[in-house]
Amino acid sequence: MSVMENFTYNHLNKFLKDKFGERVLKISVNGGFTCPNRDGKCGYGGCIFCGETGGSVERNAIPIKEQIQRHLASYRGERANKFIVYFQNFTNTYGPVEILKQKYDEALSVSDKIVGLAIATRPDCIDEEKAKLIASYKDRVYVWVELGFQTANDIVAKKINRGYDRKCFEKAVKILNKYGIDIVTHIMIGLPSEDLDGAIQTAKYLNKFDLMGVKIHSTYVLENTKLAELYINKKYTPLELEDYINTAIEILVNLNPKFIIHRISGDAPKERLLAPQWNTHKKLVMNGIENRMKKEELYQGMKYKK
């Protein structure tokens, strides 16, 4: 696509509509998982920005089937008739394969309206056995795996207590590619001690890999996190909105034009958000990026080099 076609970046909604012939929505579920960076296997406390629930979903102790049924009951037919179950909270491949299969099977058994399975996890929780299990669902539904990554800078990764290095990410990508599983990964903007150039370098690093999509995520401060301590003690300052928009656009223009952009900001739980307040205005962020790109005739991949 070109600027003449009013193209800015590859939107997930359009990708899904083209793939399924109609609008498709995600249903976020809490699979009851924890994280090896919280239970002591590779660390404690999780990444410094990670909240108490590991995501915006807070349906603790509610069966997966019931979570999905509630969502389906709340959606009217004119909004969508097809859905992707998204295992969101914490690390959704962290456990024995038998348990993973039980949870994934439960989710997919709820309704024939479910056409996809998306699994958020960490690179250090991907191996051959788990990849085989995930790949086994491809003949039933569309499948992708989300790998938390945030930054290609291993020094910054240590500062945010990520718990793995780039080599671990590369190994996980190789395994998932082997089994033909689509991969989505994250870039976080505004991490402590990372500047605009660092974010651009992460985008360029991801261009080296066979990925389906990227999530561009804002760094926000939630109460009861390590990042909150830094913020309260004035050791961390969140980005202003204009700086975020500028960085997000620079990432987009440097990314592989084939990547599908799953999001361009983060959805912070308002009741626990300390800063920045602009993060609660999703439309403001999205429109700010889109409008500026159109005005300046910028588009995804315009600076991309193989």
Side-chain angles (χ1 to χ4, degrees), residues 49 147-152 162 169 184-191 194-207 211 213-219 244 247-248 250-252 254-256 259 261 263-266:
F49 50 78
L147 297 177
F149 186 58
Q150 297 88 39
T151 176
R162 189 175 68 185
F169 171 78
V184 179
T185 193
H186 299 207
I187 299 176
M188 284 189 73
I189 297 174
L191 293 170
E194 184 152 84
D195 57 12
L196 171 62
D197 183 65
I200 294 172
Q201 292 307 313
T202 296
K204 291 181 177 179
Y205 171 79
L206 293 179
N207 287 339
L211 307 176
V214 170
K215 280 188 172 181
I216 301 173
H217 201 294
S218 48
T219 302
Y244 179 82
T247 305
E250 283 300 314
I251 288 171
L252 287 168
N254 278 282
L255 274 177
N256 186 328
F259 290 167
I261 306 304
R263 67 163 58 240
I264 53 174
S265 184

Side-chain angles (χ1 to χ4, degrees), residues 122-158:
R122 292 164 52 92
D124 54 357
C125 290
I126 291 292
D127 56 34
E128 292 268 348
E129 191 177 17
K130 290 169 183 174
K132 287 180 183 178
L133 170 66
I134 296 168
S136 72
Y137 294 100
K138 292 197 302 174
D139 61 346
R140 296 169 55 188
V141 292
Y142 178 50
V143 176
W144 79 68
V145 168
E146 291 190 9
L147 297 177
F149 186 58
Q150 297 88 39
T151 176
N153 187 319
D154 279 343
I155 295 174
V156 175
K158 286 184 178 180

Side-chain angles (χ1 to χ4, degrees), residues 30-44 46 87-101 103-104 119-127 129-131 133-134 145-147:
N30 182 343
F33 293 95
T34 183
C35 175
N37 199 16
R38 300 181 74 90
D39 68 4
K41 184 174 181 180
C42 74
Y44 292 96
F87 280 85
Q88 181 178 10
N89 293 57
F90 295 124
T91 307
N92 295 275
T93 60
Y94 187 39
V97 170
E98 296 77 14
I99 299 298
L100 302 183
K101 185 177 188 304
K103 292 178 183 289
Y104 303 158
I119 302 167
T121 188
R122 292 164 52 92
D124 54 357
C125 290
I126 291 292
D127 56 34
E129 191 177 17
K130 290 169 183 174
L133 170 66
I134 296 168
V145 168
E146 291 190 9
L147 297 177

Side-chain angles (χ1 to χ4, degrees), residues 62-125:
I62 297 177
I64 292 169
K65 185 175 183 178
E66 185 177 341
Q67 292 179 51
I68 297 170
Q69 287 173 332
R70 288 185 181 185
H71 270 287
L72 291 175
S74 69
Y75 287 122
R76 292 175 296 178
E78 60 267 26
R79 285 199 65 196
N81 285 300
K82 292 182 179 180
F83 300 87
I84 292 172
V85 172
Y86 174 39
F87 280 85
Q88 181 178 10
N89 293 57
F90 295 124
T91 307
N92 295 275
T93 60
Y94 187 39
V97 170
E98 296 77 14
I99 299 298
L100 302 183
K101 185 177 188 304
Q102 177 185 335
K103 292 178 183 289
Y104 303 158
D105 285 350
E106 180 182 354
L108 295 179
S109 70
V110 177
S111 170
D112 58 8
K113 292 183 178 182
I114 296 172
V115 297
L117 173 66
I119 302 167
T121 188
R122 292 164 52 92
D124 54 357
C125 290

